[in-house]
Amino acid sequence: MKSVNTAFHIPDIDDDGWKFVSVMAVLTVVMALIWLPLGVAFLLLDIWCFLSFRNPDRITPILSSVVVAPADGTIVAIVKEKGPDCLGLQNKKFHKIRIYSGWSDVHINRMPIKAKVGNVFYDCGKKFSGSFDVNNIGNEKFAAALKHSDGYDFALQQTAVLCSQRTVNKLKKGDEYLTGQRIGSIRFGGYVDIFLPEKVCPQVCVGQTVIAGETVIADIKSDAPRLEGEIR
């Protein structure tokens, strides 16, 4: 068994974040020259920007049947519904688990299960949708169909809020990924939906905090009923 180094270290950040951090650093210097308190305020914003793009390693279970959370955050909904029309999955039923990644969460998204990427769909939305409603047609969305080696269909969807040009992903049709691999992000947070096959029951609850690449949310080989929970 490998040991884990628990010593504190400055977190790595995603390559996509350096341009934001660099711009904020320049603005911090300029604002400090204009008025020191303003420079301090921008320094705090730059630190927040740095932390928003942190990109830590994760310990992912290696069982091929395990489904892990695709995003850090809080589960805000678990519903049964048809698959996304944009992916051609409207004739199949799924358990949809919706995760909200807030401003303080890690925003790197990960592959929930070992799978091959099928159809993909992207809608740039409105530049400023002005809405936190995940169903708002003005929000930017990216969706991908995923095929597990056992034949199960999954789907993954990212939804940005308030403005567009925030979803970042590497998924292309035909690509194959292992469980827990990095696949992109939603800059500064948003919603991530994972669609589980109808026969695969969620093993998480609404209100639960999950960690991308680590928290097990389902097992395709398990016959356990849907997990229920309560506040204690």
Side-chain angles (χ1 to χ4, degrees), residues 111 113-118 146-149 170-179 181-183:
M111 180 59 70
I113 196 166
K114 181 180 179 182
K116 183 175 183 179
V117 180
L146 308 173
K147 177 73 77 171
H148 186 260
S149 57
K170 306 174 183 178
L171 300 180
K172 296 179 181 179
K173 187 173 182 177
D175 289 348
E176 296 185 13
Y177 284 84
L178 297 176
T179 307
Q181 283 189 298
R182 296 171 176 86
I183 58 174

Side-chain angles (χ1 to χ4, degrees), residues 174-223:
D175 289 348
E176 296 185 13
Y177 284 84
L178 297 176
T179 307
Q181 283 189 298
R182 296 171 176 86
I183 58 174
S185 65
I186 302 182
R187 297 168 180 160
F188 307 109
Y191 294 93
V192 179
D193 296 336
I194 170 68
F195 292 78
L196 305 177
E198 184 179 20
K199 293 182 179 180
V200 179
C201 291
Q203 296 302 303
V204 284
C205 309
V206 173
Q208 185 176 337
T209 300
V210 294
I211 300 175
E214 290 193 358
T215 303
V216 175
I217 61 175
D219 188 331
I220 64 176
K221 293 185 177 179
S222 173
D223 58 359

Side-chain angles (χ1 to χ4, degrees), residues 108-150:
I108 299 297
N109 296 159
R110 293 174 179 264
M111 180 59 70
I113 196 166
K114 181 180 179 182
K116 183 175 183 179
V117 180
N119 293 332
V120 296
F121 170 83
Y122 175 71
D123 181 357
C124 64
K126 297 178 181 178
K127 191 168 185 179
F128 294 100
S129 68
S131 175
F132 272 95
D133 180 6
V134 71
N135 297 312
N136 189 300
I137 60 174
N139 288 342
E140 179 187 20
K141 290 181 173 65
F142 175 84
L146 308 173
K147 177 73 77 171
H148 186 260
S149 57
D150 286 350

Side-chain angles (χ1 to χ4, degrees), residues 32-151:
L33 293 175
I34 295 174
W35 189 40
L36 185 58
L38 193 58
V40 172
F42 270 79
L43 175 61
L44 294 176
L45 286 174
D46 196 20
I47 293 173
W48 170 74
C49 188
F50 180 90
L51 293 176
S52 292
F53 287 96
R54 62 193 186 277
N55 186 14
D57 290 331
R58 293 287 164 79
I59 307 301
T60 301
I62 59 174
L63 291 174
S64 63
S65 63
V66 163
V67 185
V68 298
D72 282 32
T74 303
I75 296 176
V76 294
I78 300 177
V79 296
K80 185 179 287 188
E81 63 178 49
K82 67 177 184 178
D85 294 0
C86 60
L87 300 176
L89 296 173
Q90 64 273 18
N91 295 324
K92 295 187 177 184
K93 291 184 178 180
F94 295 85
H95 293 283
K96 182 177 72 175
I97 301 175
R98 173 163 291 164
I99 301 169
Y100 176 67
S101 290
W103 63 272
S104 62
D105 293 309
V106 172
H107 299 140
I108 299 297
N109 296 159
R110 293 174 179 264
M111 180 59 70
I113 196 166
K114 181 180 179 182
K116 183 175 183 179
V117 180
N119 293 332
V120 296
F121 170 83
Y122 175 71
D123 181 357
C124 64
K126 297 178 181 178
K127 191 168 185 179
F128 294 100
S129 68
S131 175
F132 272 95
D133 180 6
V134 71
N135 297 312
N136 189 300
I137 60 174
N139 288 342
E140 179 187 20
K141 290 181 173 65
F142 175 84
L146 308 173
K147 177 73 77 171
H148 186 260
S149 57
D150 286 350

